[in-house]
Amino acid sequence: MNPSALELRPVGQSGLEISVLGLGCWMFGGQEGDYWGGHDEREAHNLISAALELGVNYFDEAEMYNSGRSEEALGRVLKGRRDKAVIGTKINPVHCATGRIRERLEGSLQRLQTDYIDIYMVHWPIRDFPVQAAYEELMTLQSEGKIRVIGVSNYGVQDLGEALATGMSIGINQMHYNLLSRAIESEVVPLCVERGVGIMGYMALLQGILSGKYHTIDDVPPIRLRTRHFRPDRPDSRHGEPGAEAEVNKALAEIREIADGLGLPMEQLALAWTASKPWMTCVLTGARTPEQLRSNWEGITRVLPADVMAKLDAVTEPLLRKLGNNPDYWQSGANARIR
Ligand SMILES: NC(=O)c1ccc[n+]([C@@H]2O[C@H](COP(=O)([O-])OP(=O)(O)OC[C@H]3O[C@@H](n4cnc5c(N)ncnc54)[C@H](OP(=O)(O)O)[C@@H]3O)[C@@H](O)[C@H]2O)c1
């Protein structure tokens, strides 16, 4: 492996560059009962060391991940090597009341043991507070050097347009994107490209489902089956749609066949496809072990021929049509949170 081969891509028009593979740190600081279960800090340490060796410099956080323990763990693990990392973290929109953003940002800075956040994102669109005042506060904090680049996450065209209209410069829009979740392609991507906003894709392996390690959907941990891909009677599902399990199964079988034909592990093919999208700034995966991270790195660094890209687009098209253009994969109709 040659770490220098990991490409850096520009974060919109901000001047900042990040590695095309980013490490999602949601599981850091996890305890039994948390979404990803318990996570040993030595494992986090090993993951960060492996990531830096591989040329991965972007680490993705949020104040809400494991109630702040994830940021704390990353802060401890990055001690003495903060300058090698680009840290992104997110503010929960329920904390975006006028005048309150500063204290939330200070909390993240303290937990991460740093003086500045490289990319500070609004985790979901702000619904309960005046957006103009919130974006002005973010711009003030940026002018003080506490934030390098302002970003958003889960912003559809309406929310993104509204945020850009305030004059705020947005470096990145972080969105759910993978072979089985392509809704952003129709509207969000074209707007981001037109306005110079970078795109970061999260859940690039659909929480492990695209790694090919599950033989059937019923083998997947139930908590990972809440999205619109799956039946509404799955535990904790809240979308109320019929799901698209037949299309998911068919797409997975065809992706597996293409991967086998190329002699590639499925996760590598899925990640290579995502990184090959010309508008993709950074692909986030939540690797649990350095081994998973290395395999993901190998996938990201592969260049897929145009005919393989086209084939993958084609075999996932029926699922895309069935699930439609709603980029909110957890909620739908009037409850969809992405506008
Ligand atoms: N902005 C948002 O609203 C939002 C939402 C979700 C996530 N995110 C960010 O995106 C990051 C990544 O998302 P994610 O963690 O949900 O998704 P992901 O990368 O699709 O899934 C992570 C899981 O996939 C499995 N995995 C990863 N690499 C693998 C490999 N090479 N082989 C086999 N299995 C592999 C591991 O599962 P096992 O546990 O089974 O080993 C890991 O826990 C998060 O950490 C977070 O930073 C943002």
Side-chain angles (χ1 to χ4, degrees):
M1 286 184 198
N2 172 14
S4 62
L6 194 58
E7 189 187 337
L8 294 176
R9 294 189 183 173
V11 179
Q13 296 168 332
S14 67
L16 180 67
E17 290 192 323
I18 57 176
S19 51
V20 58
L21 175 62
L23 181 64
C25 301
W26 181 3
M27 61 181 73
F28 285 20
Q31 299 173 351
E32 288 316 316
D34 286 331
Y35 188 88
W36 293 101
H39 198 253
D40 188 325
E41 195 149 314
R42 273 167 309 184
E43 204 54 68
H45 198 277
N46 294 342
L47 266 167
I48 295 291
S49 298
L52 291 171
E53 268 170 38
L54 292 167
V56 173
N57 72 358
Y58 179 71
F59 303 103
D60 192 70
E61 274 292 354
E63 60 169 2
M64 67 190 294
Y65 292 162
N66 302 324
S67 311
R69 279 179 278 106
S70 178
E71 287 183 331
E72 283 171 358
L74 182 65
R76 282 191 294 271
V77 163
L78 275 177
K79 211 167 178 153
R81 40 188 182 170
R82 167 68 180 96
D83 58 321
K84 298 187 171 45
V86 177
I87 299 177
T89 195
K90 313 181 200 81
I91 180 169
N92 187 328
V94 303
H95 297 143
C96 288
T98 304
R100 278 208 63 202
I101 296 178
R102 180 181 295 273
E103 80 191 58
R104 302 310 302 188
L105 172 69
E106 293 293 350
S108 286
L109 290 171
Q110 207 172 36
R111 286 187 291 275
L112 287 160
Q113 303 190 35
T114 182
D115 302 329
Y116 63 94
I117 303 294
D118 297 282
I119 307 178
Y120 196 58
M121 291 161 276
V122 183
H123 206 148
W124 285 84
I126 302 166
R127 299 280 176 237
D128 304 330
F129 307 110
V131 292
Q132 179 78 36
Y135 297 145
E136 278 170 14
E137 193 170 353
L138 284 172
M139 288 187 269
T140 301
L141 293 162
Q142 184 179 36
S143 71
E144 292 172 15
K146 291 177 188 284
I147 298 173
R148 285 176 78 191
V149 178
I150 297 169
V152 294
S153 174
N154 300 304
Y155 271 47
V157 288
Q158 188 186 314
D159 290 314
L160 189 62
E162 184 181 62
L164 288 165
T166 65
M168 181 170 73
S169 172
I170 299 175
I172 208 92
N173 188 12
Q174 187 179 116
M175 299 296 293
H176 181 155
Y177 187 70
N178 58 56
L179 270 167
L180 304 181
S181 317
R182 296 173 51 197
I184 62 170
E185 289 176 6
S186 58
E187 291 181 347
V188 177
V189 170
L191 181 64
C192 287
V193 170
E194 183 196 323
R195 303 298 299 271
V197 176
I199 296 174
M200 195 178 274
Y202 70 74
M203 279 172 69
L205 293 175
L206 196 58
Q207 302 198 330
I209 293 168
L210 276 163
S211 73
K213 66 185 170 190
Y214 302 112
H215 292 295
T216 73
I217 287 176
D218 291 318
D219 296 332
V220 179
I223 190 75
R224 303 187 192 182
L225 296 175
R226 296 173 304 152
T227 54
R228 295 192 295 113
H229 306 81
F230 307 104
R231 291 192 325 254
D233 60 340
R234 300 275 185 192
D236 297 314
S237 173
R238 50 181 203 266
H239 56 72
E241 291 184 4
E245 298 197 4
E247 288 81 358
V248 168
N249 276 327
K250 189 160 188 297
L252 283 171
E254 289 174 322
I255 296 165
R256 189 187 295 274
E257 199 179 308
I258 298 170
D260 289 349
L262 294 167
L264 286 180
M266 202 162 127
E267 73 272 13
Q268 293 190 11
L269 181 69
L271 294 174
W273 174 87
T274 313
S276 299
K277 295 289 171 180
W279 40 263
M280 180 58 70
T281 306
C282 176
V283 180
L284 285 180
T285 69
R288 189 176 286 278
T289 62
E291 292 66 38
Q292 287 184 350
L293 181 67
R294 282 189 199 98
S295 183
N296 298 348
W297 181 94
E298 282 197 44
I300 289 284
T301 54
R302 282 181 198 280
V303 178
L304 294 180
D307 65 315
V308 175
M309 288 293 290
K311 220 163 145 186
L312 287 166
D313 284 347
V315 300
T316 54
E317 185 74 25
L319 177 63
L320 172 60
R321 275 203 304 274
K322 175 97 185 227
L323 293 178
N325 294 339
N326 172 15
D328 185 344
Y329 279 94
W330 293 272
Q331 295 186 190
S332 59
N335 293 327
R337 297 157 299 170
I338 302 180
R339 299 175 198 154

